Amino acid sequence: MQQSLTAQPAAAGAAAVRKPFGAQMLTPFLFLLPALFFYLIFLVYPMLWSLYVSLFQWDGLSDNMIFVGFGNYARILFEDEIARLALWNNVLWTVGTLVIPTGIGLALALALNRRFRGSVVFRTIFYSPAVLPLVAVGLIWSWMYNPHFGGVNIALKAMGLGWLARGWLSDYDTALAATFVTNVWSHAGFPMILYLAGLQAIPREYYEAAKLDGANAWQSFRHVTLPGLAETHVIVLSLSVIQSFKVFDIIYTMTYGGPGRVTQVLGTWMYFQTFQYYNAGYGAALAWVIAIIVLVIAIPYIRRMSRN
Amino acid sequence: MSSTALPASRRPAAAVPFIRRYGEDALLFVSLAILAVIWLSPFITILLSAVRSQADLFTRGIYSWPSEVLWRNFVEAWETGDFSIYFKNSLLLILVKVPLGILVASLAAYPLAKMRFALNMPIFLFFLIGLAVPIQVTLQPLLIMMQRIGLANSIWALVPPYVAFGLPFQIFVMRGFFRLIPGELIEAARLDGASELTIFRRIMMPLSLPALATLFIIDLLSTWNEFLIALVLINAKDSRTVPLGLLQFQGEFSTQYTLLMAGIVISILPVIAIFIFLQRYFVAGLTGGALKG
C-alpha cells in the first residue's frame, strides 16, 4: 500500500501529471479498501443473502430449502395475525414517538435554550437515560412496574389513584403502553439535544427584527423559531421513525413480546421466528419488511446528509 | 414559588412586568425541576433498592432510608453474577473495535473529503444508506458466516459487524471534519513530496483530534451497550458482553431484587461516569454528526 501511494513527489500543478495515471486513479480506492471490505462483507453481503433466503421456506440449519417466491411476504401481509399485530404495534410506536418524546424534546430545548444557572445540569439529567444500555433500561423499568414493590404503583397510591395500580407489564391492555413510557424516558433526550443545536443556529437578529415589528412571544415562535427548525425537524422525525421500526431491546427485556403476544413488534417477531421457531426464511422476510420501510423513510434524511 | 415572595417585597411602579417576567421564569424552573425529579426517579429507585437487604425491602418498601446500608450487595452481585468476565469481555471488545473502526472510517473519509474521483459521491451515498439498515436483516447470515469461519461464540465475532455498522456514521462525521481542513495544507505537503498516506497520518489525523475524541466516546458507549448482534452471535458464558451478562444475571436472580438492582447499577456505572465527565465532547459530536453537512 505504502509503495503505490508514494508516487513521484515533485511536479506540482495539474493533478494529472503528478502521478502515473494508474496510481492516480487507484489512490482513493486504496484508502477506501478497508472500509469497503468490512461494509461489503459484513453488512451488504448478509443483507443480500437474507433477501435470497426470504424467498425460501427454510429452517436455517438443514440443506432443505424450498423455493416459495414471495410466499413469505404474502404470509406476513395476509395470513400471520401476529405479524400484522407486530406491524401495527410498530406503527403505534412510531406515531407515539413522533408526538411524545419529540414534543418533550422540543419543549425542553426551548426551555433550556436560554442559558441560566442549572441549565447544563437539566440537560445532563434529561439526556442521561439515552447513554444507558437498553437492557439495563428495560430491567430498571421492569422494576418500576413491579406490581408489589415498583415505584409506579407506589406513586399512584400516594396520589390517591390506587385503583389504577396493576401489573402494568402483565396486563394485556397496558403492556405496550408501559414499554412505550420506558421508551419515552430513554429517548426524549436525543431530540432535545438536536433541537438545542437547531435553536442555536437561528440568528439572534431574526428575533430582534420580529420584536421590532411588534411580534409577541407566540408570533415569534410561530414565524421565526418553527421555520428556523425546519431542517432539524426532518432529522428528528426521520430518526424517530427509523428508530421506531428497529425497536427490539426494550421489548425483548421487558415483556419478551408478551403477555401472550400483544407486545410483539417486527424486530422481536423476526427474532423469534428465526432463532426460536427456526423459520429462517420467514424471519428473513420479516427483516426485509423492516428494511424496506426504514430505507424508504430514510430517503429524505440521507439526501439531507449527503448535501454539502 | 419562592420568587413570588421576592417581587412582592419590593413593589415599585414597574411591578407588573417585573412579576410577569420573573414569575414566568420561576414557573419554567419549577416545571423543569419537577420533570427532572421524574426523570431521575428510576435512578433513585434502583439505588435505594440496591443498598438494602431483601428483608428490609419487603418490610419497609423501596422509598425509605434502608435500616442498614449494604454496600456489600455490590460485591456480592459482582461475584455471583460473574461480572468480572463480562466487564473483561466488553473492555477487550472496546479496546479492539473502537480504534479499528475509527481508523477504517477515517481512512475512507479522507478520499471522500479531499480527492476528486468519479465514484466519490456514489460511494459516499452507498455508505450513508447503511445508516438505515436494520441489524435484523443481517443477523442470520452473520451467524452462519461466523460459524463457518469458526468465530461464533467468541467476542471477536462481534468486531467485524460492529465495525461495518459503525462505518456510515463515522465516515459521515470524519468526512465532514476533513472537509474543514484547508486544501492549501495538503497541497503544500504534496509539494514537499509527502505521500497521501503521510498526509493522512501527519496532517489529517492530528488536526482532527476533536472529532476523533467525540467518535471515540460515542463508539465506546454504543459498543458497551450493543445487545442484538451479541445476543445472536454469542452463547457461551465466557464470551458474554455486559448487556448479555446482565440479562443472564436477571434470569438467574430474578427474585433476589436487591442483588439484581446492584447488578444493574454496576453495569451502568461506567457509561454514566463516561457521560458525565466527557459529555462536552459527546454532545457536540451527536449534534455535529446529525446536523452539520
Side-chain angles (χ1 to χ4, degrees):
Chain A
M1 197 154 133
Q2 179 77 43
Q3 296 167 337
S4 48
L5 287 175
T6 27
Q8 293 100 317
V17 299
R18 196 165 58 232
K19 296 170 184 177
F21 187 67
Q24 175 73 18
M25 296 280 290
L26 215 59
T27 309
F29 293 98
L30 288 174
F31 276 92
L32 284 163
L33 197 66
L36 285 171
F37 168 81
F38 280 103
Y39 194 68
L40 286 172
I41 295 188
F42 296 101
L43 194 147
V44 176
Y45 171 62
M47 207 180 155
L48 296 177
W49 184 351
S50 76
L51 181 63
Y52 173 75
V53 166
S54 76
L55 304 176
F56 290 83
Q57 193 182 69
W58 183 42
D59 61 8
L61 305 166
S62 67
D63 292 333
N64 186 20
M65 293 176 80
I66 303 161
F67 183 75
V68 292
F70 289 103
N72 285 326
Y73 293 92
R75 190 170 142 205
I76 293 170
L77 295 174
F78 305 114
E79 283 170 47
D80 182 357
E81 280 179 32
I82 308 299
R84 267 179 294 159
L85 174 69
L87 179 61
W88 177 239
N89 284 343
N90 274 118
V91 171
L92 286 177
W93 194 278
T94 306
V95 174
T97 303
L98 288 176
V99 178
I100 300 171
T102 311
I104 294 176
L106 177 58
L108 286 174
L110 288 169
L112 297 174
N113 190 33
R114 290 178 299 165
R115 299 217 154 240
F116 55 89
R117 201 182 300 170
S119 61
V120 175
V121 175
F122 280 125
R123 197 185 67 187
T124 307
I125 290 172
F126 294 124
Y127 192 76
S128 60
V131 302
L132 305 182
L134 283 170
V135 172
V137 170
L139 294 180
I140 290 170
W141 276 86
S142 299
W143 180 235
M144 292 293 285
Y145 285 126
N146 183 293
H148 308 295
F149 310 105
V152 174
N153 281 350
I154 290 175
L156 286 172
K157 281 171 191 156
M159 290 188 291
L161 296 170
W163 52 276
L164 275 174
R166 65 190 72 203
W168 295 91
L169 293 175
S170 54
D171 188 317
Y172 279 70
D173 296 326
T174 59
L176 188 70
T179 54
F180 182 74
V181 167
T182 306
N183 180 59
V184 172
W185 182 71
S186 82
H187 285 92
F190 190 58
M192 173 190 78
I193 296 284
L194 294 184
Y195 278 126
L196 268 173
L199 285 172
Q200 267 146 32
I202 301 175
R204 282 247 150 272
E205 297 82 50
Y206 289 13
Y207 287 103
E208 281 155 20
K211 210 171 188 177
L212 283 179
D213 290 344
N216 61 29
W218 165 250
Q219 283 167 329
S220 82
F221 172 73
R222 172 74 190 75
H223 296 288
V224 180
T225 311
L226 277 187
L229 289 176
E231 292 279 274
T232 317
H233 284 312
V234 175
I235 308 281
V236 170
L237 298 183
S238 318
L239 286 177
S240 301
V241 179
I242 293 170
Q243 177 256 322
S244 298
F245 275 94
K246 291 178 176 178
V247 57
F248 177 84
D249 301 13
I250 286 184
I251 302 280
Y252 184 89
T253 38
M254 291 183 76
T255 66
Y256 209 62
R261 279 168 178 164
V262 291
T263 57
Q264 287 288 0
V265 287
L266 288 173
T268 51
W269 194 229
M270 174 272 160
Y271 176 84
F272 282 97
Q273 285 292 345
T274 310
F275 300 105
Q276 309 272 322
Y277 311 145
Y278 298 103
N279 295 322
Y282 187 58
L286 281 163
W288 262 93
V289 168
I290 307 174
I292 290 164
I293 294 171
V294 172
L295 286 169
V296 168
I297 290 166
I299 289 172
Y301 173 63
I302 288 170
R303 279 179 53 177
R304 166 75 188 81
M305 303 267 287
S306 68
R307 241 184 285 153
N308 299 312
Chain B
M1 273 165 243
S2 59
S3 69
T4 50
L6 181 74
S9 63
R10 33 175 153 145
R11 179 170 290 191
V16 174
F18 189 83
I19 290 174
R20 247 207 2 234
R21 190 145 27 103
Y22 287 87
E24 260 173 34
D25 278 3
L27 190 70
L28 186 69
F29 191 86
V30 170
S31 329
L32 280 172
I34 292 172
L35 203 60
V37 169
I38 295 174
W39 238 250
L40 284 176
S41 62
F43 290 113
I44 298 165
T45 306
I46 54 167
L47 274 177
L48 279 175
S49 314
V51 294
R52 60 176 80 227
S53 68
Q54 186 97 335
D56 189 65
L57 176 82
F58 287 149
T59 52
R60 295 155 56 94
I62 303 171
Y63 299 105
S64 59
W65 194 249
S67 54
E68 187 198 350
V69 178
L70 282 185
W71 296 109
R72 91 181 128 77
N73 277 352
F74 293 106
V75 181
E76 210 181 320
W78 176 268
E79 281 167 0
T80 54
D82 290 315
F83 277 98
S84 55
I85 298 177
Y86 312 141
F87 267 62
K88 196 195 78 196
N89 287 335
S90 280
L91 286 175
L92 260 179
L93 188 62
I94 284 171
L95 229 54
V96 173
K97 188 273 152 179
V98 176
L100 176 67
I102 291 176
L103 175 67
V104 170
S106 305
L107 279 170
Y110 176 43
L112 293 176
K114 288 293 182 195
M115 292 181 198
R116 235 181 273 166
F117 56 102
L119 289 172
N120 189 320
M121 205 41 170
I123 291 180
F124 180 51
L125 274 175
F126 179 58
F127 279 118
L128 273 188
I129 289 170
L131 287 168
V133 172
I135 287 166
Q136 278 91 351
V137 88
T138 63
L139 283 176
Q140 165 85 0
L142 278 177
L143 177 62
I144 296 172
M145 287 164 72
M146 291 306 167
Q147 281 166 343
R148 282 188 190 159
I149 57 177
L151 271 183
N153 257 336
S154 145
I155 54 163
W156 307 123
L158 300 177
V159 173
Y162 282 9
V163 169
F165 274 96
L167 285 176
F169 178 71
Q170 292 169 350
I171 288 179
F172 173 76
V173 172
M174 288 316 293
R175 174 181 172 274
F177 207 86
F178 283 162
R179 285 168 71 91
L180 301 176
I181 295 175
E184 295 82 32
L185 272 179
I186 298 167
E187 280 309 316
R190 281 186 188 141
L191 281 178
D192 288 346
S195 70
E196 294 294 334
L197 196 60
T198 309
I199 294 173
F200 174 77
R201 263 182 24 220
R202 296 279 172 79
I203 299 177
M204 305 308 278
M205 292 301 260
L207 286 178
S208 305
L209 282 181
L212 290 169
T214 301
L215 282 187
F216 202 89
I217 296 161
I218 293 176
D219 202 32
L220 198 154
L221 292 178
S222 51
T223 305
W224 182 273
N225 292 346
E226 204 284 332
F227 176 61
L228 180 51
I229 296 179
L231 177 70
V232 169
L233 295 187
I234 286 175
N235 243 322
K237 176 167 193 167
D238 287 341
S239 301
R240 283 187 197 128
T241 57
V242 169
L244 290 180
L246 179 62
L247 200 65
Q248 178 66 26
F249 185 62
Q250 187 262 348
E252 286 168 18
F253 295 89
S254 58
T255 53
Q256 299 227 41
Y257 301 117
T258 58
L259 219 50
L260 176 59
M261 293 306 129
I264 295 174
V265 172
I266 288 171
S267 71
I268 67 173
L269 218 51
V271 282
I272 290 284
I274 288 171
F275 170 61
I276 288 176
F277 291 118
L278 303 176
Q279 67 159 315
R280 207 156 49 88
Y281 303 96
F282 181 70
V283 168
L286 281 179
T287 53
L291 285 176
K292 288 178 202 142

